[in-house]
Amino acid sequence: SQQGEEDPQALSIQEGENATMNCSYKTSINNLQWYRQNSGRGLVHLILIRSNEREKHSGRLRVTLDTSKKSSSLLITASRAADTASYFCATGPLGTYKYIFGTGTRLKVLA
Amino acid sequence: DVKVTQSSRYLVKRTGEKVFLECVQDMDHENMFWYRQDPGLGLRLIYFSYDVKMKEKGDIPEGYSVSREKKERFSLILESASTNQTSMYLCASSLGLAGLRGTDTQYFGPGTRLTVL
């Protein structure tokens, strides 16, 4: 199966609630990144966390990384309708040039 | 801000046609990438270029070729389009490389939705 698999595949919440999505991966990595994709558009980089970091914040985003479990989570606090999008994690396996993307979590925030 | 542009948002071609998808970035990035995105499969890397005239095959290069004559421009070529190449094509660029330098964000273009009839 793929490196970088997101869970859940789809998530629907009310505006103001928090949204949490998870990513699992298989190999040792240099860093892990989260991207957002609005419907039919390109991906936009949200946040990067390095393998020696455990938690990182950016605005309403909080990312955690557990290298022992090979997993990461993205928390969006106080969600807004504008957060409706697909969210992808991407890993940079050690020693490679590739970014490996998961299949994404589709988030829908209801107003 | 980095800008990555792709020549078309939507493209419709016929089976057997030669198709060119163009991508231009304005940040002097060394590395450029072509992905295709299909439902349930995520993004899959087709080709990668780390310098002018240098290229590496990605995970699904069959049926595609690429050209990078100038640093800012990376073209994806479908030599003879087939219906199974109907997809969303995404171009990206980055300054460094994922697992090697560790910094590196990819900047994506808006995508080209290609339909092959």
Side-chain angles (χ1 to χ4, degrees), chain B residues 15-32:
Chain B
T15 302
E17 281 192 73
K18 191 168 185 175
V19 181
F20 293 86
L21 302 182
E22 304 282 335
C23 175
V24 178
Q25 51 96 2
D26 67 358
M27 280 302 290
D28 203 35
H29 282 172
E30 295 171 1
N31 309 296
M32 297 186 75

Side-chain angles (χ1 to χ4, degrees), chain B residues 74-85:
Chain B
F74 190 34
S75 302
L76 180 70
I77 303 155
L78 286 65
E79 297 290 344
S80 177
S82 64
T83 54
N84 63 11
Q85 292 178 310

Side-chain angles (χ1 to χ4, degrees), chain A residues 99, chain B residues 25 28-33 48 92-98 104-107:
Chain A
Y99 298 79
Chain B
Q25 51 96 2
D28 203 35
H29 282 172
E30 295 171 1
N31 309 296
M32 297 186 75
F33 306 79
F48 153 68
S93 73
S94 71
L95 186 59
L97 295 171
D104 297 44
T105 298
Q106 288 200 311
Y107 295 87

Side-chain angles (χ1 to χ4, degrees), chain B residues 10-78:
Chain B
Y10 300 94
L11 207 52
V12 179
K13 296 291 182 181
R14 297 216 171 266
T15 302
E17 281 192 73
K18 191 168 185 175
V19 181
F20 293 86
L21 302 182
E22 304 282 335
C23 175
V24 178
Q25 51 96 2
D26 67 358
M27 280 302 290
D28 203 35
H29 282 172
E30 295 171 1
N31 309 296
M32 297 186 75
F33 306 79
W34 275 107
Y35 295 90
R36 64 177 282 177
Q37 183 179 23
D38 301 287
L41 296 177
L43 274 74
R44 293 180 291 166
L45 181 64
I46 305 172
Y47 266 99
F48 153 68
S49 169
Y50 55 91
D51 201 350
V52 174
K53 301 199 181 199
M54 306 304 288
K55 62 187 179 186
E56 293 269 351
K57 291 180 180 179
D59 298 318
I60 51 163
E62 297 78 20
Y64 303 94
S65 62
V66 290
S67 172
R68 193 162 179 206
E69 297 296 320
K70 293 184 178 181
K71 193 173 185 179
E72 67 270 18
R73 188 179 297 268
F74 190 34
S75 302
L76 180 70
I77 303 155
L78 286 65

